[in-house]
Amino acid sequence: MRVLPQVMATLALAAVLAGCGKTPAPTPAPQPTPQPAAPAAAADANAPIAVDPPGPSTPTQAEVDALLGEWLATQNQGRFADYQSLYAARMTGVRRTGAVVKRLDRAHWMADRKVMFAKIMQVSIGPAVARLNAQLTQVDFVQKFATGTFADEGPKRLLLVREGDKLRIAREEMLASTLQAGADIGTPPKSTELALAFTTESGAWLVIGPPEPATPTAPPQLLSRDAVAAAWRSLPLPRGSEWIQRDVVLYGPQGEMCRGQADEAGLLVRMRPHFGQREQWQGGESSQPMRDRAIATEIWDQAAPAAQRAVHIAATRGRCLGALWGRASNLPPPVLLARAEMPGGQLRESALDALRVLPSYQRIAKEYLSSVPAPRPVYWDLYDNAKAEVVAFSGQGKQWALVRARAGAGCGDFFGEIIGLFTAKSSSDGKFALQLQSPERGVELQWPAAAADVDGDGHFEWIGPTQIWREVGPTVRPVFEVDIPDFDCPC
């Protein structure tokens, strides 16, 4: 994995940490030449002299070492309250578990870690390399983590800022995760059986794997400058690749959408740009819009570590815009589950009842009761006129209910979110018995929009825009995710 150059990473993060709620400053208008002023009255010799407040001081190596020592101790000793105090008021985190990536704000990071702290952990690090800086100190090391039957190892990066007189963590990122023996998080399907799609008005691409060691020589091409910006660099497929001139079928939530052929390979990178950056691309108030090549280069420079190997699909039949996934057309047709929204009815009510008794739902409910004054709705998923989503999937004599409850705005206000996938069995009285299949957390899950048995084993893959779920032991959980770095402000 290539690491983003230090300067680019620091500038990108500084924009996110300091630029929220601000638009790029306009170019100052020319000021008139100042005229000589009248002689001023003599200054009062006893008047206080205005002094600019001192800027942040550069951390010492001893401060960094002390923070790292306490950070390790709080995890190994299970001291969650002390662990939270080590993080800045505004921080972001990136968690990698094998191929699965999740980007979290502070509230979601702490909610995720609180679950982790309920178990005994063993965390250790190798020698740390710190680049001391008054504004943003970068610390890199290799972390080993183990809890229960799970263990992984990989490079980690912390970015430190000074808040008052304390050094705190403003960003934490696991740059890569290598699973150790005994860790089972599931295996993603072969890309020829299920490859996630990215589409625009001008084309379609399928993600076929992580980047190869080869570095592309072609300049970046702009694919999108929207809320999810994208750039592409062509890269020859290796001789004998199974994707050379491969005929493919692309699917959406309801079934087949288009057919085509893989005609070009390369690296695809996507990101969510800071809103001020998007305004700059468009020209803002005082400048000309940036050229596509310059925007593509900027996207690439910021998000290159998240690049994925992909193939461009030249459509030959149908319309690909909005497709979720694709596969080789010479494989047997996949078994697709029928999908139906459930705005009302007994299945919806049964699914909501099953969701509301989960311990993870109840933890959010406690926060809701303590942070939202009365009068308020009985259930937090109804707060601020929210309405939970319920989708039924059915096929092969089976039925599932997918439920998402999401309410509140966060950013100082209450916020709660949870996703649950349940098997559903109807009874003679018209009610449903539901059993949870997904992990009892919503923060790392993405709303699946389709489900298909892609390999004929009788088990279904659940497919979202950038995430694939599969059965792993008794649960259905993410086994693959396309990383889309988020440089925008959550608030």
Side-chain angles (χ1 to χ4, degrees), residues 31-39:
Q31 300 297 316
T33 303
Q35 300 300 316

Side-chain angles (χ1 to χ4, degrees), residues 309-320:
R309 199 154 39 99
V311 288
H312 174 261
I313 306 302
T316 56
R317 190 173 76 194
R319 181 170 168 78
C320 297

Side-chain angles (χ1 to χ4, degrees), residues 218-288:
Q221 302 175 40
L222 182 66
L223 303 183
S224 170
R225 62 173 76 197
D226 297 331
V228 176
W232 165 264
R233 298 183 75 171
S234 60
L235 184 68
L237 280 169
R239 184 174 298 176
S241 169
E242 59 186 355
W243 281 98
I244 293 177
Q245 302 299 307
R246 168 75 77 171
D247 291 325
V248 299
V249 185
L250 270 62
Y251 297 86
Q254 302 297 341
E256 181 178 326
M257 294 186 66
C258 69
R259 290 177 176 255
Q261 188 177 73
D263 67 345
E264 185 182 13
L267 296 179
L268 172 68
V269 66
R270 284 173 276 177
M271 61 175 266
R272 292 182 177 87
H274 185 267
F275 72 90
Q277 187 175 19
R278 291 184 63 200
E279 288 184 1
Q280 184 182 21
W281 293 347
Q282 297 164 4
E285 297 179 357
S286 59
S287 61
Q288 294 294 320

Side-chain angles (χ1 to χ4, degrees), residues 119-245:
K119 304 175 182 179
I120 297 176
M121 297 176 288
Q122 294 180 328
V123 187
S124 62
I125 64 174
V129 177
R131 296 179 176 87
L132 304 177
N133 184 278
Q135 301 297 329
L136 202 64
T137 289
Q138 177 178 308
V139 185
D140 293 296
F141 51 82
V142 173
Q143 173 186 280
K144 292 183 178 181
F145 177 89
T147 180
T149 60
F150 176 84
D152 76 343
E153 179 179 348
K156 174 163 279 192
R157 172 170 298 164
L158 302 180
L159 296 178
L160 311 180
V161 296
R162 192 177 294 282
E163 282 189 350
D165 60 347
K166 298 289 187 181
L167 198 61
R168 301 190 193 278
I169 301 168
R171 182 178 177 87
E172 179 174 336
E173 179 172 3
M174 192 76 171
L175 300 173
S177 167
T178 301
L179 301 177
Q180 304 303 296
D184 182 13
I185 64 164
T187 304
K190 297 178 181 178
S191 63
T192 50
E193 295 175 338
L194 195 172
L196 294 176
F198 170 67
T199 66
T200 67
E201 289 283 355
S202 60
W205 293 261
L206 290 178
V207 174
I208 62 173
E212 295 178 324
T215 301
T217 56
Q221 302 175 40
L222 182 66
L223 303 183
S224 170
R225 62 173 76 197
D226 297 331
V228 176
W232 165 264
R233 298 183 75 171
S234 60
L235 184 68
L237 280 169
R239 184 174 298 176
S241 169
E242 59 186 355
W243 281 98
I244 293 177
Q245 302 299 307

Side-chain angles (χ1 to χ4, degrees), residues 102-105 107-108 111-112 355 358-365 367-368 380-383 386 388-389 403-410 413-420 439-448 467 469:
K102 193 63 183 179
R103 297 177 179 273
L104 308 167
D105 61 16
H108 285 95
D112 177 75
L355 189 77
L358 295 178
S360 49
Y361 182 98
Q362 293 297 319
R363 283 193 291 269
I364 299 173
E367 179 186 348
Y368 170 66
W380 67 257
D381 57 88
L382 300 176
Y383 173 65
E389 300 172 77
V403 195
R404 173 168 60 185
R406 180 187 176 99
D413 187 17
F414 165 78
F415 175 79
E417 180 180 20
I418 183 172
I419 294 175
E440 219 189 276
R441 288 145 67 177
V443 69
E444 81 282 13
L445 302 181
Q446 184 185 92
W447 186 246
Q467 199 173 77
W469 299 8

